[in-house]
Every structure is written in C-alpha cells, then in structure tokens.
Amino acid sequence: MMKNRYQSTSFQLGTPNARQAPPDIGLEVAFAGRSNSGKSSALNVITNQKTLARTSKTPGRTQHINFFSVDDTRRLVDLPGYGYAKVPKEVKARWQRAITQYLETRRSLRGVILLMDIRHPMKDFDRQVLVWCHAAGLSLHVLLTKADKLKRGPAKAVLFEVRREIAELHPLATVQLFSALTPHGADEARAILDHWLEFTTVAPCA
Ligand code: GDP
C-alpha cells in the first residue's frame, strides 16, 4: 500500500460562487462530473473516509463549490454535479458561470479530475469541461467510474475509445479506470494528485 496523504482531508467551506472561496493561495485540485457520476464515492475512496463528500450532498449544498483541506497549503475542491434531470435553464446558466469563473480565474488550481460513468462517457458537459480546461491551460485527468459494472474487455475498450476522443479536445489529458466498489484505481488517482499538489516531483505513468 502506498502512503495515503489524503486521509486527514477535512471539509473547509462551501460557497455558491467563486468570490467567497478560500484565499487563492497554495495548491488545489478540482473534481468535476455530472450528477450521479460517482464523484462523492470517488472522493471518499481517495481520502479513505466514509462520509467526507456527504457534506456536498446536504440540501442547499448541491450547487455549492465545496473546499476540503488536505493540509495548510493544499485543497481538494468538489464542483457541483451537473445535468441532473430537469434543472431549470437559469440554474444551469448560473452554475456554468460559477464553474467557468472558477476554472478561468483560480490561480491555485493545478488540475481537474473529471469523472464519467463508464457506461455513459463523453456527454456534452464532459466535452465542455475538456474544452474549458484545455483553453485555460489546465491539466486534466479522467476517472471512468463504476468500472466494476463492465467486464474487463469492454471496460478496456471504453478506456481506449475515450482516450482517442479526448485527444482531440485536450491533447494532454489522461484517462484511467476507477471503481469505488472494488476499489480499483485509487492509488493511480492519488499518484496524479500527488504530482499536481507537489508531494512528488516525478510525473506518474498514465
Ligand atoms: P455523485 O452524484 O457523482 O456524487 O455520485 P455518487 O458517488 O453519489 O454515486 C452515485 C451512485 O452510483 C450511488 O448509488 C453509488 O452507490 C453508485 N456508485 C458510485 N461509485 C460506484 C462504483 O464504483 N461502482 C458501482 N457499482 N456503483 C457506484
């Protein structure tokens, strides 16, 4: 087992807009994904905590940007889940503004982890995030979540297909399989975080 540097991560604050975020100093990695993509489960597995990301699920908080501190200078950021059923247009528009503003202006942001359910990858929202991050010069890593829902062969096929597709939208983005259930891929995801948050200086093989 690799050392888990994220198990003392704790909830810091939640805010509907980037203006009330914690001071923009130190290093941050943001987690983005459509509702039900498995974002909360992944955050819990990565930090080895059962209920960390539940904070973001409490009513009134679902549209918040939630900040979790790893230590004094490093944070994980849970962006609001997107695309749930029939969200009114104005809500989507407001959400998009908050997210783009955050992605475009946040100086401490080192990279974005984008979560996609392996059975429903590369939806409109996912493509937008890839394009935004590429335009903003932000590193991006994809977790294909719930990989346990597919057999090994089909899971690999999706992995290769998504790799091929994202290369056109964000040439430097990387992709891996992930399951919060088995769990599979947590060490690989933490290695990316370690690199972006400067715990390690050598880039992991993706
Ligand atoms: P979020 O809305 O993106 O935060 O998604 P959640 O983490 O709440 O997960 C949504 C649903 O997918 C829940 O019912 C989870 O139990 C389920 N889920 C999440 N991750 C996995 C996984 O790796 N494997 C399986 N089989 N189910 C998962």
Side-chain angles (χ1 to χ4, degrees), residues 139-170:
S139 297
L140 189 137
H141 182 68
V142 174
L143 303 186
L144 291 174
T145 61
K146 313 186 194 180
D148 56 274
K149 294 274 191 186
L150 298 184
K151 293 204 168 76
R152 205 180 139 82
K156 285 262 175 190
V158 177
L159 176 67
F160 292 135
E161 177 57 23
V162 169
R163 272 199 186 132
R164 195 184 64 74
E165 282 187 45
I166 65 168
E168 291 163 19
L169 302 172
H170 191 311

Side-chain angles (χ1 to χ4, degrees), residues 34-41 57 146 148-149 179-181:
R34 301 168 72 239
S35 298
N36 211 41
S37 62
K39 186 153 55 68
S40 308
S41 305
K57 295 242 152 149
K146 313 186 194 180
D148 56 274
K149 294 274 191 186
S179 168
L181 200 70

Side-chain angles (χ1 to χ4, degrees), residues 31-189:
F31 287 66
R34 301 168 72 239
S35 298
N36 211 41
S37 62
K39 186 153 55 68
S40 308
S41 305
L43 268 163
N44 289 344
V45 165
I46 287 168
T47 58
N48 200 21
Q49 296 187 31
K50 285 195 175 70
T51 58
L52 182 77
R54 193 200 281 161
T55 328
S56 11
K57 295 242 152 149
T58 48
R61 274 260 161 81
T62 50
Q63 292 301 314
H64 280 192
I65 302 176
N66 290 295
F67 293 84
F68 299 90
S69 63
V70 175
D71 59 28
D72 288 347
T73 58
R74 299 176 174 95
R75 290 174 299 275
L76 302 181
V77 184
D78 187 6
L79 298 176
Y82 185 69
Y84 208 64
K86 303 244 180 289
V87 181
K89 257 200 182 127
E90 317 87 72
V91 176
K92 278 189 185 170
R94 203 181 323 130
W95 181 90
Q96 281 208 354
R97 273 198 302 279
I99 296 300
T100 38
Q101 192 197 11
Y102 170 79
L103 292 177
E104 284 167 1
T105 61
R106 193 76 176 162
R107 298 175 66 95
S108 47
L109 183 61
R110 286 308 144 103
V112 173
I113 304 278
L114 175 59
L115 297 95
M116 306 180 197
D117 186 321
I118 193 163
R119 298 163 300 171
H120 316 285
M122 299 299 279
K123 299 287 189 195
D124 287 349
F125 164 74
D126 305 316
R127 292 174 187 277
Q128 269 176 20
V129 171
L130 281 155
V131 169
W132 286 335
C133 288
H134 182 51
L138 276 169
S139 297
L140 189 137
H141 182 68
V142 174
L143 303 186
L144 291 174
T145 61
K146 313 186 194 180
D148 56 274
K149 294 274 191 186
L150 298 184
K151 293 204 168 76
R152 205 180 139 82
K156 285 262 175 190
V158 177
L159 176 67
F160 292 135
E161 177 57 23
V162 169
R163 272 199 186 132
R164 195 184 64 74
E165 282 187 45
I166 65 168
E168 291 163 19
L169 302 172
H170 191 311
L172 295 178
T174 48
V175 193
Q176 68 160 99
L177 299 177
F178 187 90
S179 168
L181 200 70
T182 53
H184 170 87
D187 284 343
E188 196 178 342

